[in-house]
Amino acid sequence: MPPRGRRLCLILSAMRISLRRRAPRSSAPLLPWLVLLVALGLTALSAALVAASDRRADELRFQSLVTRSQDDIAARLETYISMLRGVSGLFAANPEIDRASFHAYVQRLDVEHSYPGVQGIGFSARMTASAKDTLVESVRRQGLPDFRIWPEHAREEYHAIVYLEPMDRRNRVAIGYDMFTDPARREAMERACDTGLPAASGKVTLVQEIDDAKQPGFLIYVPVYRGSDVAATLEERRARLIGYAYSPFRVEDLLRGIGRPQEQSTIAFDLYDGNEPVADRLLYQSDRADVPPGYRPSLTTTTSVVVAARPWTLVYTTRPEFDSGISYGGLAVLVAGIVISAVLFRITLAEVRARAEAEAAVATRDAFLSVASHELKTPLTALLGNAQLLRRRVERQDHLPDRDRRTIRVIGEQAVRLDRLITALLDQTRLQSGRFAIDREPLDLVALVRQVVAEAQPALAEHPIALEVPGEPLIVLGDHLRLEQVVQNLVSNAAKYSPYGGPIRIRLERQATWAVLRVIDQGIGIPESALPHLFEQFYRAPNAESSGIGGMGIGLYMLKEVVTRHGGDVSVVSGAGRGSEFTVRLTLAPDPATPPESP
Ligand code: ADP
């Protein structure tokens, strides 16, 4: 292999290795990670927002159930208190009321239906020690021969449950009981007496709890004073108190019926006597048969209600049925967001890799073209020089046959063509790598066009050139070599794409501040669909390919680049089979004779 050829081979194999090395797979591109980071960040933010809004909605739902349940409890107890006020009014109006009348009164109240959950409605009478025996006698006469006041120890003041309806087996046990002897009941009774208002006791075990399964209980007292009005002063109230209308409550019986099915199945509550949820003051716990042991409710709230001037504390929690309805929108957004982020990451990664690979391929191609063109250029220059030398020598000899002369001419022409192709390739790679420079100097476009036409004409025997140029020079600031290539390109294309011959018209004229060059041929023309792509790199119109006319699709791309860098423009008017007219406009250099315009 000759040394130059071996060098080219070495260069090519080195480039192959470098291409392989340049494969971007191993590099860690930043963009996909950035995309992943942003997508995950947005996901986290949206998930947090959705979760917060879900949580708020759940809390509101819970709160509305709690409020309804609490209102139900307060409203139910308010009803009992109103009923007891009625009873107190009855005794205030007629302290001598007998057992039968009271029984009839309570029956008219229809306790079972109107006041469900109440254990009884009664009257506890107050008396001094001296009046005690009279009362016992009177009650015994009213049909309770065993009546006694208990506990029986001696004291200054006695209270006794005289009437209690309905007279079932539980309430029967309570008859005669002095509730004033029990501190919890006494506190409420004294409070009721002193304030003149209904008062609820703290947690007690009712005397009615005669079975083994006992429920916590409490009582509500409404004071009954002698006379039709409530006494104004404390002393007067204490003096005029004759007893209490009261109701004992078994808390579980009372609360079991309260609450609508929806609340009962979705929330649970614990009820405590007093201001704090203290274990030994627990009055009631919702049934939690459906709640697994150790279950942690998602929402909890503590509220309070005041029942007959006594505070109760309620601790509400969600049941599994509520919690299973809790929205997991935040979680769904998080999962979906992570999946989408991962997909975005993969897509961006693939894009970046594809782009890097494409860039590497383009870089390799450019490097190849550049090296190859350089390597070709050197022997070609020698070939061109020798061909021209040979041609000149042959022209001086008469004995050479025409055939040989033609052969030598063709060698020269093809060498020129090859040179132009290689120059175009080199320019294109220079443009790609940013090494394409334009050196501008004042030059006469008329002379330049004349020169190009004179050089081209001998090779274009079948294409007579009609040249129209102005008689005066058209000076532009331009790169002589590049503009020469522009004109050569237009002329050679006009000839190349007119395979059946035909004249080529070249017109150069001044139009205002422009020098306008038109190259018009009568060749195969350019289909309309190809026109928008004509100046793209490596683009060739379909009719050029189908006509078998060779080319690389670089010439017009370079031409446009050169003209644009000169501050000019290029356009084309054509149609398939209608010939083509290319127009290049370049700005004329300012005439030194013309003074510059004042600002
Ligand atoms: P090439 O001639 O090497 O293909 P060019 O960049 O010079 O590359 O031209 C691009 C394409 O434009 C050509 O392939 C051809 O389809 C079309 N073209 C250029 N000049 C003419 C012309 N005078 N007549 C018809 N088609 C032309």
Side-chain angles (χ1 to χ4, degrees), residues 421 489-490 493-498 521 523-526 534 536 539-545 549-557 574 579-580 582:
L421 279 175
N489 197 284
L490 289 177
N493 271 357
K496 187 164 81 172
Y497 293 105
S498 306
D521 65 58
I524 61 171
I526 302 158
L534 213 60
E536 288 170 12
Y539 180 81
R540 306 205 68 225
N543 63 339
E545 297 280 10
I549 303 171
M552 293 195 298
I554 297 177
L556 289 185
Y557 166 72
S574 186
S580 307
F582 282 84

Side-chain angles (χ1 to χ4, degrees), residues 232-270:
T233 64
L234 184 63
E235 284 69 32
E236 225 186 315
R237 278 183 213 144
R238 286 180 180 170
R240 279 169 50 185
L241 182 82
I242 55 172
Y244 296 92
Y246 89 102
S247 272
F249 295 90
R250 301 179 81 212
V251 185
E252 280 168 23
D253 290 354
L254 171 72
L255 293 182
R256 197 173 296 133
I258 296 186
R260 296 154 223 210
Q262 193 202 355
E263 286 142 31
Q264 287 174 356
S265 63
T266 51
I267 58 172
F269 66 90
D270 296 346

Side-chain angles (χ1 to χ4, degrees), residues 306-560:
V306 175
V307 174
R310 190 163 184 97
W312 278 0
T313 299
L314 287 148
V315 179
Y316 283 93
T317 55
T318 49
R319 285 178 182 278
E321 189 166 319
F322 182 99
D323 294 340
S324 66
I326 276 189
S327 3
Y328 290 102
L331 191 66
V333 168
L334 193 69
V335 172
I338 289 174
V339 171
I340 292 171
S341 308
V343 170
L344 277 179
F345 173 72
R346 296 284 311 187
I347 291 175
T348 321
L349 192 66
E351 286 264 317
V352 166
R353 281 184 177 160
R355 176 181 289 202
E357 270 168 18
E359 276 170 5
V362 168
T364 308
R365 184 206 63 193
D366 290 347
F368 168 77
L369 287 179
S370 170
V371 172
S373 315
H374 269 113
E375 291 303 312
L376 292 173
K377 192 86 176 155
T378 319
L380 188 67
T381 311
L383 181 69
L384 251 178
N386 284 307
Q388 275 164 3
L389 207 65
L390 188 62
R391 195 167 164 185
R392 273 201 291 277
R393 254 194 243 141
V394 161
E395 273 163 12
R396 282 201 294 270
Q397 310 217 349
D398 308 329
H399 63 271
L400 224 62
D402 276 354
R403 208 184 50 192
D404 291 349
R405 281 177 199 279
R406 220 175 308 122
T407 307
I408 288 167
R409 203 185 68 230
V410 168
I411 290 173
E413 283 168 7
Q414 291 307 315
V416 169
R417 202 170 147 218
L418 202 57
D419 185 52
R420 285 207 186 126
L421 279 175
I422 290 170
T423 307
L425 272 176
L426 262 175
D427 283 346
Q428 194 263 354
T429 53
R430 280 197 197 109
L431 197 68
Q432 294 296 319
S433 59
R435 287 181 290 115
F436 186 76
I438 299 273
D439 297 324
R440 298 174 76 172
E441 55 178 349
L443 61 89
D444 176 14
L445 218 49
V446 176
L448 186 142
V449 171
R450 277 185 191 286
Q451 175 208 323
V452 172
V453 170
E455 281 169 10
Q457 184 66 91
L460 305 177
E462 296 175 9
H463 300 95
I465 295 181
L467 180 65
E468 299 166 40
V469 288
E472 46 160 12
L474 292 180
I475 308 296
V476 295
L477 285 179
D479 185 318
H480 196 281
L481 191 73
R482 300 289 171 208
L483 290 181
E484 213 177 79
Q485 282 169 357
V486 166
V487 184
Q488 277 168 357
N489 197 284
L490 289 177
V491 175
S492 69
N493 271 357
K496 187 164 81 172
Y497 293 105
S498 306
Y500 306 111
I504 298 171
R505 220 172 119 205
I506 302 174
R507 244 177 90 188
L508 179 63
E509 61 186 344
R510 170 196 287 271
Q511 273 182 10
T513 56
W514 297 96
V516 180
L517 172 72
R518 286 198 173 80
V519 178
I520 306 155
D521 65 58
Q522 296 174 0
I524 61 171
I526 302 158
E528 215 166 304
S529 60
L531 290 176
H533 310 285
L534 213 60
F535 298 95
E536 288 170 12
Q537 198 177 181
F538 303 120
Y539 180 81
R540 306 205 68 225
N543 63 339
E545 297 280 10
S546 60
S547 305
I549 303 171
M552 293 195 298
I554 297 177
L556 289 185
Y557 166 72
M558 290 302 302
L559 181 149
K560 176 152 189 179

Side-chain angles (χ1 to χ4, degrees), residues 147-190:
F147 180 78
R148 62 188 181 93
I149 298 175
W150 58 281
E152 288 183 348
H153 63 268
R155 49 201 179 264
E156 251 180 47
E157 181 179 326
Y158 286 80
H159 290 257
I161 301 172
V162 181
Y163 305 133
L164 186 55
E165 293 289 342
M167 263 302 235
D168 58 17
R169 63 184 190 100
R170 285 186 190 276
N171 285 341
R172 207 174 280 276
V173 180
I175 292 293
Y177 176 53
D178 182 349
M179 295 185 280
F180 215 60
T181 57
D182 171 61
R185 291 169 173 84
R186 183 176 177 153
E187 181 275 327
M189 291 163 87
E190 283 179 342

